[in-house]
């Protein structure tokens, strides 16, 4: 090893070529999902078959996770209480498995949006990815439980510089006793607060009324969250040149093993 280091030092290695700035899309994304009992409402559809909101969310969110190849993903589930189910990780298969096993009502009947947002912000606080932290908050309700108010949660998000995308879930058609849809306003969905959360944190509010719109929303978030990210310098192009002629001249009379090719080039692309 010492012999090799002496040879390398005598060769005076030089880097030829400028560092190249490449795109860096990596983000820390925390998915915050409402799993209160109202998410069992069967007002979504897939291939002509009626499904509940939570089933639709599972399918679409799983596809979103698979697409985020360069990002770290985490998962917070909430109802009456908020729980960190998956810390920020590159292990997306594990996050998907947790997503598949979640059921409506597991975290209680009410909706503590403020607490869920607070827990998400606490989870992202120590993330080394400055300016690359994103929360996707999905709910079909309003903040009616928990210790943290929405204004407090919004202030915390703004202070931390975390962008929050909010999604309000639920069809405009409510279910009648006989199973037929009746047109009406979505009871319980506080769109004004969800819009305020997004606006105050430089995110965007989306409304998902059916499965296809939910797909489009996650695609839109996927596209938006990949823009305006700074690149990073990477020595991906260039050559490292070892010129051994000086070492050979000084040592040819004593160590014939040093009679190597005059030029050694190692290139990266």
């Amino acid at each position: 090893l010492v012999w090799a280091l002496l040879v390398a030092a005598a060769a005076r290695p030089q880097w030829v070529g400028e560092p190249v700035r490449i795109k860096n899309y990596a983000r820390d994304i925390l998915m915050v999902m409402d799993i209160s009992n109202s998410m069992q409402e069967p007002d979504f559809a897939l291939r002509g078959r009626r499904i509940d909101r939570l089933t639709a969310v599972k399918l679409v969110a799983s596809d979103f996770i698979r697409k985020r190849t360069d990002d770290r993903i985490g998962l917070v589930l909430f109802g009456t209480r908020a729980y960190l189910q998956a810390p920020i990780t590159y292990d997306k298969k594990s996050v998907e498995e947790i997503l598949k096993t979640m059921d409506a009502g597991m975290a209680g009947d009410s909706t503590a949006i403020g607490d869920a947002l607070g827990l998400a912000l606490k989870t992202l606080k120590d993330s080394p990815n400055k300016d690359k932290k994103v929360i996707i908050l999905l709910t079909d309700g309003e903040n009616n439980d928990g210790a943290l108010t929405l204004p407090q949660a919004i202030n915390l998000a703004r202070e931390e510089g975390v962008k929050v995308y909010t999604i309000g879930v639920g069809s405009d058609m409510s279910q009648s006793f006989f199973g037929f849809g009746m047109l009406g306003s979505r009871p319980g969905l506080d769109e004004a607060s969800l819009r305020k959360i997004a606006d105050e944190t430089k995110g965007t509010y989306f409304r998902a009324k059916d499965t296809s719109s939910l797909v489009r929303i996650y695609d839109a978030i996927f596209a938006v969250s990949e823009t305006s990210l700074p690149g990073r310098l990477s020595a991906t192009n260039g050559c490292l040149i070892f010129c051994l002629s000086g070492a050979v001249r000084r040592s040819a009379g004593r160590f014939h093993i040093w009679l190597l090719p005059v030029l050694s080039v190692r290139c990266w692309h």
Side-chain angles (χ1 to χ4, degrees), residues 3-182:
W3 181 267
L5 292 174
L6 287 172
V7 172
R12 302 186 307 280
Q14 300 176 43
W15 177 259
V16 179
E18 293 297 322
V20 177
R21 186 171 294 279
I22 62 174
K23 292 181 179 179
N24 181 14
Y25 290 146
R27 283 188 183 271
D28 283 348
I29 301 175
L30 201 53
M31 305 177 76
V32 182
M33 295 187 175
D34 183 351
I35 57 168
S36 58
N37 279 327
S38 57
M39 290 293 288
Q40 296 181 97
E41 183 75 21
D43 57 355
F44 277 48
L46 181 66
R47 301 187 186 93
R49 181 173 60 89
R50 190 166 293 281
I51 59 174
D52 60 70
R53 296 167 189 165
L54 190 58
T55 298
V57 168
K58 286 181 182 182
L59 293 171
V60 178
S62 292
D63 184 60
F64 175 82
I65 291 171
R66 286 191 292 270
K67 289 178 180 177
R68 307 304 302 195
T69 54
D70 297 323
D71 296 325
R72 298 198 303 172
I73 304 288
L75 181 63
V76 169
L77 303 179
F78 72 95
T80 306
R81 298 286 183 270
Y83 301 95
L84 177 63
Q85 292 297 295
I88 293 294
T89 178
Y90 284 115
D91 187 3
K92 299 177 183 66
K93 288 186 180 296
S94 294
V95 179
E96 272 194 82
E97 287 302 316
I98 295 172
L99 197 65
K100 290 176 184 176
T101 59
M102 68 182 187
D103 287 320
M106 287 176 61
D109 295 337
S110 52
T111 313
I113 298 175
D115 283 2
L117 190 52
L119 177 58
L121 291 167
K122 182 180 179 181
T123 303
L124 289 173
K125 188 174 181 63
D126 296 326
S127 168
N129 284 344
K130 300 291 184 182
D131 303 320
K132 297 181 185 178
K133 298 181 283 190
V134 173
I135 291 173
I136 304 175
L137 172 65
L138 181 146
T139 182
D140 67 344
E142 59 185 343
N143 189 53
N144 55 24
D145 210 331
L148 199 64
T149 66
L150 284 186
Q152 289 172 326
I154 291 171
N155 286 336
L156 286 173
R158 195 167 48 231
E159 289 171 5
E160 292 294 325
V162 178
K163 186 175 292 187
V164 183
Y165 295 97
T166 56
I167 305 174
V169 178
S171 171
D172 285 333
M173 304 292 290
S174 59
Q175 295 297 111
S176 72
F177 178 77
F178 298 102
F180 297 102
M182 298 186 302

Side-chain angles (χ1 to χ4, degrees), residues 10-12 243-252 258 262:
R12 302 186 307 280
C243 183
L244 304 181
S245 57
V248 172
R249 283 197 298 271
R250 288 194 296 269
S251 308
W258 278 38
V262 174

